[in-house]
Amino acid sequence: MTVNLRTTAVFLAAVALAAGCTTKNADDSGGASTGDDASTSTSSGPVTLKDGSQVKLALIPGGAHPYFQPWKTTAQQDKSEFKLGDVTFNETGEWDQGKQNNVVNSLAAQGYNAFGIFGVSPTDINSTFEDLKAKGFAVGSLASCPAGDTNSADFCLSTDVEAAAYKAAKATIEAIGGQGTIVHLTGNNVDSNTQRRIAGVKKAVGETNGKVTELPVITDIDKDLSTAQKAVADLLASKGKDINGIVTTAYNPAVAAADGVASSKLPIKVVAIDDDAKILAGIKSGGVAATVTQNPVGQAYVGGWLLALLQSKQCTMKKPGVIVDSGSFIVTKANVATYDDERKAKTKELQTEFASQLSCQ
């Protein structure tokens, strides 16, 4: 089989989203919502959508990944609460920007006119956004912002990955008692999001003034769970006795690290990313020290609400291309049963924040 190296690099960069993706505005609040609790003040938040019947909303990840599964159910919630004409969730882009563009064009031809997109290629996605905007469609960049200083979508709603990684590293340092050796497991090294995560971890380590040392970062292990499992097994076999803590900023490495450390019986503190069931179970049992969870439901819910307001022409953005952090926060054994309340509250805050940036009829 012939492998397209560029396509493979783009695939790996995109899948590295497990720690969410990026915004340029740091916001240390957590956030998300689930089910009918996403907005309790009104059915449409601080700005009530007058008529969404002509809005057909498409939520489009770059491909299949556990992080995006909440988007699927939230799309149906958007349809019900905002009385939209139709919604769809399409993850068939296969982590290839060309294939994702084909999905977008196909849905546009079917009448979909409001698009929430996680772009496969941060360096190329602006052209996709520009094409959609030229056709008169509302476009939101969800869970990842374009690379560089320009966002050609109406808005970007995503996790500030550097801030999230910093929180994860601080939690790891606290878990090991403020001194010792840690290692960082993450996604594709060439991805700008990965570099932001690496910077966040290094910042936290630097603040210890040498009390904590960091082993070389292990990258390129979020392609799938088996890749992450092998990397963790190799790490524990070669250096397990020298490691006090593992901080993970990608989805598959987090699950692999939790399982690997539990199986090895080594006294290593693991701090994970997101709220996979295995991670939450590990926190409850004490096998995982903490996790930094994100807000995929909030991205899809607030993103859908905002796109409907824009595409119905009820509202316009005062400053197109605005970037907003969808939130991240630490979950420990102390708040594992209640952390989702904070995410729900954050989602309402996001609606209020966006409402202040709208001009509405």
Side-chain angles (χ1 to χ4, degrees), residues 96-134:
D96 178 286
Q97 190 59 63
K99 291 181 179 179
Q100 186 185 47
N101 288 344
N102 290 338
V103 169
V104 170
N105 292 334
S106 174
L107 291 173
Q110 295 172 46
Y112 287 91
N113 53 20
F115 294 84
I117 301 172
F118 175 91
V120 175
S121 172
T123 58
D124 300 322
I125 192 61
N126 268 333
S127 62
T128 303
F129 295 157
E130 290 161 6
D131 288 345
L132 289 169
K133 293 294 295 176

mmCIF file of all heavy atoms in Angstrom, residues 96-134:
data_model
loop_
_atom_site.group_PDB
_atom_site.id
_atom_site.type_symbol
_atom_site.label_atom_id
_atom_site.label_comp_id
_atom_site.label_asym_id
_atom_site.label_seq_id
_atom_site.Cartn_x
_atom_site.Cartn_y
_atom_site.Cartn_z
ATOM 1 N N ASP A 96 -8.842 13.379 6.388
ATOM 2 C CA ASP A 96 -8.235 13.841 5.149
ATOM 3 C C ASP A 96 -8.969 15.118 4.747
ATOM 4 O O ASP A 96 -10.197 15.097 4.577
ATOM 5 C CB ASP A 96 -8.372 12.753 4.074
ATOM 6 C CG ASP A 96 -7.801 13.179 2.737
ATOM 7 O OD1 ASP A 96 -8.446 14.006 2.055
ATOM 8 O OD2 ASP A 96 -6.716 12.692 2.377
ATOM 9 N N GLN A 97 -8.255 16.225 4.596
ATOM 10 C CA GLN A 97 -8.918 17.494 4.327
ATOM 11 C C GLN A 97 -9.691 17.479 3.016
ATOM 12 O O GLN A 97 -10.782 18.042 2.919
ATOM 13 C CB GLN A 97 -7.916 18.651 4.333
ATOM 14 C CG GLN A 97 -8.566 20.028 4.309
ATOM 15 C CD GLN A 97 -9.477 20.251 5.501
ATOM 16 O OE1 GLN A 97 -9.031 20.261 6.635
ATOM 17 N NE2 GLN A 97 -10.778 20.423 5.246
ATOM 18 N N GLY A 98 -9.138 16.828 2.014
ATOM 19 C CA GLY A 98 -9.849 16.732 0.750
ATOM 20 C C GLY A 98 -11.165 15.984 0.894
ATOM 21 O O GLY A 98 -12.202 16.415 0.360
ATOM 22 N N LYS A 99 -11.138 14.876 1.623
ATOM 23 C CA LYS A 99 -12.368 14.102 1.828
ATOM 24 C C LYS A 99 -13.356 14.880 2.684
ATOM 25 O O LYS A 99 -14.580 14.829 2.454
ATOM 26 C CB LYS A 99 -12.036 12.752 2.466
ATOM 27 C CG LYS A 99 -11.288 11.812 1.530
ATOM 28 C CD LYS A 99 -10.986 10.473 2.197
ATOM 29 C CE LYS A 99 -10.256 9.542 1.245
ATOM 30 N NZ LYS A 99 -9.932 8.235 1.885
ATOM 31 N N GLN A 100 -12.852 15.604 3.692
ATOM 32 C CA GLN A 100 -13.766 16.407 4.503
ATOM 33 C C GLN A 100 -14.416 17.504 3.657
ATOM 34 O O GLN A 100 -15.612 17.775 3.789
ATOM 35 C CB GLN A 100 -13.033 17.030 5.691
ATOM 36 C CG GLN A 100 -13.990 17.755 6.644
ATOM 37 C CD GLN A 100 -13.277 18.477 7.761
ATOM 38 O OE1 GLN A 100 -12.304 19.180 7.539
ATOM 39 N NE2 GLN A 100 -13.765 18.303 8.993
ATOM 40 N N ASN A 101 -13.639 18.119 2.763
ATOM 41 C CA ASN A 101 -14.211 19.128 1.872
ATOM 42 C C ASN A 101 -15.311 18.538 1.000
ATOM 43 O O ASN A 101 -16.338 19.185 0.739
ATOM 44 C CB ASN A 101 -13.121 19.738 0.987
ATOM 45 C CG ASN A 101 -12.177 20.650 1.759
ATOM 46 O OD1 ASN A 101 -12.480 21.078 2.869
ATOM 47 N ND2 ASN A 101 -11.033 20.940 1.164
ATOM 48 N N ASN A 102 -15.118 17.303 0.561
ATOM 49 C CA ASN A 102 -16.155 16.640 -0.229
ATOM 50 C C ASN A 102 -17.428 16.433 0.584
ATOM 51 O O ASN A 102 -18.543 16.596 0.067
ATOM 52 C CB ASN A 102 -15.646 15.292 -0.748
ATOM 53 C CG ASN A 102 -14.572 15.437 -1.812
ATOM 54 O OD1 ASN A 102 -14.466 16.469 -2.465
ATOM 55 N ND2 ASN A 102 -13.773 14.392 -1.993
ATOM 56 N N VAL A 103 -17.258 16.085 1.865
ATOM 57 C CA VAL A 103 -18.415 15.929 2.753
ATOM 58 C C VAL A 103 -19.146 17.261 2.891
ATOM 59 O O VAL A 103 -20.381 17.333 2.778
ATOM 60 C CB VAL A 103 -17.967 15.417 4.136
ATOM 61 C CG1 VAL A 103 -19.113 15.513 5.143
ATOM 62 C CG2 VAL A 103 -17.465 13.981 4.052
ATOM 63 N N VAL A 104 -18.379 18.319 3.129
ATOM 64 C CA VAL A 104 -18.968 19.652 3.285
ATOM 65 C C VAL A 104 -19.734 20.051 2.020
ATOM 66 O O VAL A 104 -20.889 20.515 2.089
ATOM 67 C CB VAL A 104 -17.865 20.689 3.592
ATOM 68 C CG1 VAL A 104 -18.420 22.111 3.519
ATOM 69 C CG2 VAL A 104 -17.264 20.434 4.976
ATOM 70 N N ASN A 105 -19.125 19.867 0.863
ATOM 71 C CA ASN A 105 -19.769 20.254 -0.398
ATOM 72 C C ASN A 105 -21.021 19.427 -0.664
ATOM 73 O O ASN A 105 -22.032 19.949 -1.173
ATOM 74 C CB ASN A 105 -18.783 20.099 -1.559
ATOM 75 C CG ASN A 105 -17.645 21.097 -1.487
ATOM 76 O OD1 ASN A 105 -17.780 22.173 -0.905
ATOM 77 N ND2 ASN A 105 -16.496 20.746 -2.078
ATOM 78 N N SER A 106 -20.965 18.152 -0.307
ATOM 79 C CA SER A 106 -22.128 17.290 -0.503
ATOM 80 C C SER A 106 -23.293 17.740 0.376
ATOM 81 O O SER A 106 -24.449 17.802 -0.076
ATOM 82 C CB SER A 106 -21.762 15.838 -0.197
ATOM 83 O OG SER A 106 -22.894 14.997 -0.254
ATOM 84 N N LEU A 107 -22.996 18.065 1.622
ATOM 85 C CA LEU A 107 -24.053 18.508 2.533
ATOM 86 C C LEU A 107 -24.621 19.859 2.097
ATOM 87 O O LEU A 107 -25.827 20.095 2.195
ATOM 88 C CB LEU A 107 -23.522 18.585 3.959
ATOM 89 C CG LEU A 107 -23.193 17.239 4.612
ATOM 90 C CD1 LEU A 107 -22.517 17.436 5.960
ATOM 91 C CD2 LEU A 107 -24.462 16.396 4.776
ATOM 92 N N ALA A 108 -23.758 20.738 1.604
ATOM 93 C CA ALA A 108 -24.240 22.023 1.101
ATOM 94 C C ALA A 108 -25.191 21.809 -0.080
ATOM 95 O O ALA A 108 -26.229 22.484 -0.195
ATOM 96 C CB ALA A 108 -23.068 22.905 0.690
ATOM 97 N N ALA A 109 -24.859 20.862 -0.942
ATOM 98 C CA ALA A 109 -25.714 20.561 -2.093
ATOM 99 C C ALA A 109 -27.058 19.978 -1.656
ATOM 100 O O ALA A 109 -28.058 20.108 -2.368
ATOM 101 C CB ALA A 109 -25.003 19.594 -3.034
ATOM 102 N N GLN A 110 -27.081 19.352 -0.473
ATOM 103 C CA GLN A 110 -28.315 18.777 0.066
ATOM 104 C C GLN A 110 -29.159 19.806 0.822
ATOM 105 O O GLN A 110 -30.225 19.473 1.330
ATOM 106 C CB GLN A 110 -27.976 17.617 1.000
ATOM 107 C CG GLN A 110 -27.331 16.428 0.314
ATOM 108 C CD GLN A 110 -26.841 15.393 1.318
ATOM 109 O OE1 GLN A 110 -27.554 15.039 2.262
ATOM 110 N NE2 GLN A 110 -25.625 14.903 1.125
ATOM 111 N N GLY A 111 -28.661 21.035 0.898
ATOM 112 C CA GLY A 111 -29.452 22.089 1.531
ATOM 113 C C GLY A 111 -29.008 22.500 2.915
ATOM 114 O O GLY A 111 -29.615 23.397 3.513
ATOM 115 N N TYR A 112 -27.965 21.885 3.428
ATOM 116 C CA TYR A 112 -27.458 22.317 4.742
ATOM 117 C C TYR A 112 -26.786 23.675 4.584
ATOM 118 O O TYR A 112 -26.062 23.919 3.601
ATOM 119 C CB TYR A 112 -26.503 21.274 5.314
ATOM 120 C CG TYR A 112 -27.241 20.045 5.793
ATOM 121 C CD1 TYR A 112 -27.453 18.966 4.928
ATOM 122 C CD2 TYR A 112 -27.778 19.992 7.072
ATOM 123 C CE1 TYR A 112 -28.174 17.855 5.339
ATOM 124 C CE2 TYR A 112 -28.500 18.883 7.499
ATOM 125 C CZ TYR A 112 -28.692 17.825 6.628
ATOM 126 O OH TYR A 112 -29.420 16.736 7.040
ATOM 127 N N ASN A 113 -27.049 24.572 5.524
ATOM 128 C CA ASN A 113 -26.602 25.953 5.355
ATOM 129 C C ASN A 113 -25.943 26.564 6.592
ATOM 130 O O ASN A 113 -25.629 27.754 6.613
ATOM 131 C CB ASN A 113 -27.778 26.832 4.913
ATOM 132 C CG ASN A 113 -28.984 26.706 5.840
ATOM 133 O OD1 ASN A 113 -28.864 26.267 6.987
ATOM 134 N ND2 ASN A 113 -30.149 27.092 5.337
ATOM 135 N N ALA A 114 -25.737 25.766 7.631
ATOM 136 C CA ALA A 114 -25.043 26.231 8.836
ATOM 137 C C ALA A 114 -24.071 25.128 9.239
ATOM 138 O O ALA A 114 -24.491 23.988 9.484
ATOM 139 C CB ALA A 114 -26.028 26.519 9.960
ATOM 140 N N PHE A 115 -22.783 25.453 9.322
ATOM 141 C CA PHE A 115 -21.751 24.428 9.451
ATOM 142 C C PHE A 115 -20.879 24.664 10.679
ATOM 143 O O PHE A 115 -20.271 25.735 10.826
ATOM 144 C CB PHE A 115 -20.869 24.409 8.201
ATOM 145 C CG PHE A 115 -21.579 23.981 6.958
ATOM 146 C CD1 PHE A 115 -22.310 24.905 6.214
ATOM 147 C CD2 PHE A 115 -21.537 22.663 6.531
ATOM 148 C CE1 PHE A 115 -22.976 24.516 5.059
ATOM 149 C CE2 PHE A 115 -22.203 22.260 5.382
ATOM 150 C CZ PHE A 115 -22.936 23.191 4.641
ATOM 151 N N GLY A 116 -20.813 23.662 11.553
ATOM 152 C CA GLY A 116 -19.862 23.640 12.659
ATOM 153 C C GLY A 116 -18.808 22.601 12.332
ATOM 154 O O GLY A 116 -19.116 21.402 12.263
ATOM 155 N N ILE A 117 -17.562 23.027 12.117
ATOM 156 C CA ILE A 117 -16.545 22.147 11.536
ATOM 157 C C ILE A 117 -15.291 22.093 12.394
ATOM 158 O O ILE A 117 -14.777 23.129 12.823
ATOM 159 C CB ILE A 117 -16.162 22.634 10.121
ATOM 160 C CG1 ILE A 117 -17.391 22.649 9.206
ATOM 161 C CG2 ILE A 117 -15.068 21.757 9.520
ATOM 162 C CD1 ILE A 117 -17.130 23.295 7.843
ATOM 163 N N PHE A 118 -14.794 20.878 12.637
ATOM 164 C CA PHE A 118 -13.437 20.681 13.135
ATOM 165 C C PHE A 118 -12.574 20.401 11.914
ATOM 166 O O PHE A 118 -12.642 19.327 11.321
ATOM 167 C CB PHE A 118 -13.364 19.501 14.103
ATOM 168 C CG PHE A 118 -11.953 19.177 14.546
ATOM 169 C CD1 PHE A 118 -11.416 19.743 15.682
ATOM 170 C CD2 PHE A 118 -11.155 18.318 13.795
ATOM 171 C CE1 PHE A 118 -10.114 19.457 16.076
ATOM 172 C CE2 PHE A 118 -9.848 18.031 14.174
ATOM 173 C CZ PHE A 118 -9.332 18.606 15.320
ATOM 174 N N GLY A 119 -11.766 21.363 11.515
ATOM 175 C CA GLY A 119 -10.974 21.208 10.306
ATOM 176 C C GLY A 119 -9.851 20.202 10.469
ATOM 177 O O GLY A 119 -9.134 20.220 11.466
ATOM 178 N N VAL A 120 -9.694 19.320 9.504
ATOM 179 C CA VAL A 120 -8.620 18.334 9.546
ATOM 180 C C VAL A 120 -7.259 19.027 9.532
ATOM 181 O O VAL A 120 -6.377 18.732 10.330
ATOM 182 C CB VAL A 120 -8.728 17.350 8.366
ATOM 183 C CG1 VAL A 120 -7.524 16.405 8.347
ATOM 184 C CG2 VAL A 120 -10.020 16.546 8.448
ATOM 185 N N SER A 121 -7.092 19.963 8.619
ATOM 186 C CA SER A 121 -5.821 20.662 8.467
ATOM 187 C C SER A 121 -5.953 22.106 8.935
ATOM 188 O O SER A 121 -6.565 22.926 8.246
ATOM 189 C CB SER A 121 -5.369 20.641 7.001
ATOM 190 O OG SER A 121 -4.240 21.472 6.819
ATOM 191 N N PRO A 122 -5.381 22.455 10.099
ATOM 192 C CA PRO A 122 -5.486 23.830 10.584
ATOM 193 C C PRO A 122 -4.901 24.855 9.618
ATOM 194 O O PRO A 122 -5.331 26.008 9.609
ATOM 195 C CB PRO A 122 -4.696 23.794 11.897
ATOM 196 C CG PRO A 122 -4.718 22.362 12.328
ATOM 197 C CD PRO A 122 -4.681 21.578 11.058
ATOM 198 N N THR A 123 -3.942 24.436 8.795
ATOM 199 C CA THR A 123 -3.310 25.378 7.866
ATOM 200 C C THR A 123 -4.126 25.579 6.593
ATOM 201 O O THR A 123 -3.889 26.544 5.864
ATOM 202 C CB THR A 123 -1.896 24.901 7.485
ATOM 203 O OG1 THR A 123 -1.986 23.591 6.899
ATOM 204 C CG2 THR A 123 -0.993 24.829 8.707
ATOM 205 N N ASP A 124 -5.063 24.701 6.312
ATOM 206 C CA ASP A 124 -5.830 24.769 5.065
ATOM 207 C C ASP A 124 -7.316 25.058 5.255
ATOM 208 O O ASP A 124 -8.007 25.392 4.290
ATOM 209 C CB ASP A 124 -5.698 23.452 4.289
ATOM 210 C CG ASP A 124 -4.264 23.130 3.908
ATOM 211 O OD1 ASP A 124 -3.527 24.069 3.573
ATOM 212 O OD2 ASP A 124 -3.874 21.948 3.960
ATOM 213 N N ILE A 125 -7.810 24.937 6.479
ATOM 214 C CA ILE A 125 -9.264 24.973 6.689
ATOM 215 C C ILE A 125 -9.868 26.335 6.402
ATOM 216 O O ILE A 125 -11.050 26.432 6.053
ATOM 217 C CB ILE A 125 -9.614 24.500 8.125
ATOM 218 C CG1 ILE A 125 -11.116 24.240 8.254
ATOM 219 C CG2 ILE A 125 -9.128 25.504 9.163
ATOM 220 C CD1 ILE A 125 -11.632 23.149 7.315
ATOM 221 N N ASN A 126 -9.099 27.413 6.499
ATOM 222 C CA ASN A 126 -9.676 28.727 6.222
ATOM 223 C C ASN A 126 -10.241 28.831 4.810
ATOM 224 O O ASN A 126 -11.248 29.506 4.580
ATOM 225 C CB ASN A 126 -8.636 29.834 6.441
ATOM 226 C CG ASN A 126 -8.678 30.402 7.847
ATOM 227 O OD1 ASN A 126 -9.716 30.383 8.516
ATOM 228 N ND2 ASN A 126 -7.554 30.906 8.309
ATOM 229 N N SER A 127 -9.615 28.162 3.858
ATOM 230 C CA SER A 127 -10.132 28.212 2.484
ATOM 231 C C SER A 127 -11.506 27.550 2.403
ATOM 232 O O SER A 127 -12.379 28.001 1.652
ATOM 233 C CB SER A 127 -9.152 27.549 1.509
ATOM 234 O OG SER A 127 -8.967 26.179 1.822
ATOM 235 N N THR A 128 -11.704 26.486 3.182
ATOM 236 C CA THR A 128 -13.016 25.837 3.247
ATOM 237 C C THR A 128 -14.037 26.792 3.851
ATOM 238 O O THR A 128 -15.160 26.932 3.346
ATOM 239 C CB THR A 128 -12.936 24.546 4.079
ATOM 240 O OG1 THR A 128 -11.953 23.684 3.524
ATOM 241 C CG2 THR A 128 -14.282 23.834 4.115
ATOM 242 N N PHE A 129 -13.652 27.449 4.936
ATOM 243 C CA PHE A 129 -14.550 28.418 5.568
ATOM 244 C C PHE A 129 -14.908 29.544 4.600
ATOM 245 O O PHE A 129 -16.065 29.969 4.509
ATOM 246 C CB PHE A 129 -13.901 29.009 6.817
ATOM 247 C CG PHE A 129 -13.654 28.027 7.938
ATOM 248 C CD1 PHE A 129 -12.684 28.291 8.889
ATOM 249 C CD2 PHE A 129 -14.388 26.863 8.048
ATOM 250 C CE1 PHE A 129 -12.448 27.407 9.934
ATOM 251 C CE2 PHE A 129 -14.164 25.959 9.081
ATOM 252 C CZ PHE A 129 -13.189 26.238 10.034
ATOM 253 N N GLU A 130 -13.913 30.028 3.878
ATOM 254 C CA GLU A 130 -14.128 31.141 2.941
ATOM 255 C C GLU A 130 -15.086 30.737 1.826
ATOM 256 O O GLU A 130 -15.952 31.532 1.411
ATOM 257 C CB GLU A 130 -12.789 31.608 2.382
ATOM 258 C CG GLU A 130 -11.930 32.325 3.415
ATOM 259 C CD GLU A 130 -10.462 32.395 3.037
ATOM 260 O OE1 GLU A 130 -10.125 31.983 1.893
ATOM 261 O OE2 GLU A 130 -9.648 32.835 3.871
ATOM 262 N N ASP A 131 -14.949 29.513 1.333
ATOM 263 C CA ASP A 131 -15.854 29.025 0.286
ATOM 264 C C ASP A 131 -17.298 28.989 0.788
ATOM 265 O O ASP A 131 -18.227 29.396 0.073
ATOM 266 C CB ASP A 131 -15.435 27.632 -0.176
ATOM 267 C CG ASP A 131 -14.162 27.638 -1.006
ATOM 268 O OD1 ASP A 131 -13.762 28.726 -1.470
ATOM 269 O OD2 ASP A 131 -13.561 26.555 -1.171
ATOM 270 N N LEU A 132 -17.480 28.510 2.002
ATOM 271 C CA LEU A 132 -18.829 28.434 2.573
ATOM 272 C C LEU A 132 -19.405 29.821 2.822
ATOM 273 O O LEU A 132 -20.585 30.084 2.553
ATOM 274 C CB LEU A 132 -18.807 27.625 3.868
ATOM 275 C CG LEU A 132 -18.573 26.120 3.710
ATOM 276 C CD1 LEU A 132 -18.305 25.473 5.057
ATOM 277 C CD2 LEU A 132 -19.763 25.451 3.029
ATOM 278 N N LYS A 133 -18.582 30.729 3.327
ATOM 279 C CA LYS A 133 -19.051 32.089 3.580
ATOM 280 C C LYS A 133 -19.447 32.774 2.280
ATOM 281 O O LYS A 133 -20.429 33.529 2.237
ATOM 282 C CB LYS A 133 -17.962 32.895 4.290
ATOM 283 C CG LYS A 133 -17.632 32.433 5.696
ATOM 284 C CD LYS A 133 -18.798 32.646 6.649
ATOM 285 C CE LYS A 133 -19.092 34.122 6.829
ATOM 286 N NZ LYS A 133 -20.289 34.343 7.688
ATOM 287 N N ALA A 134 -18.692 32.511 1.215
ATOM 288 C CA ALA A 134 -18.999 33.114 -0.081
ATOM 289 C C ALA A 134 -20.359 32.665 -0.610
ATOM 290 O O ALA A 134 -21.003 33.374 -1.394
ATOM 291 C CB ALA A 134 -17.904 32.775 -1.090
#
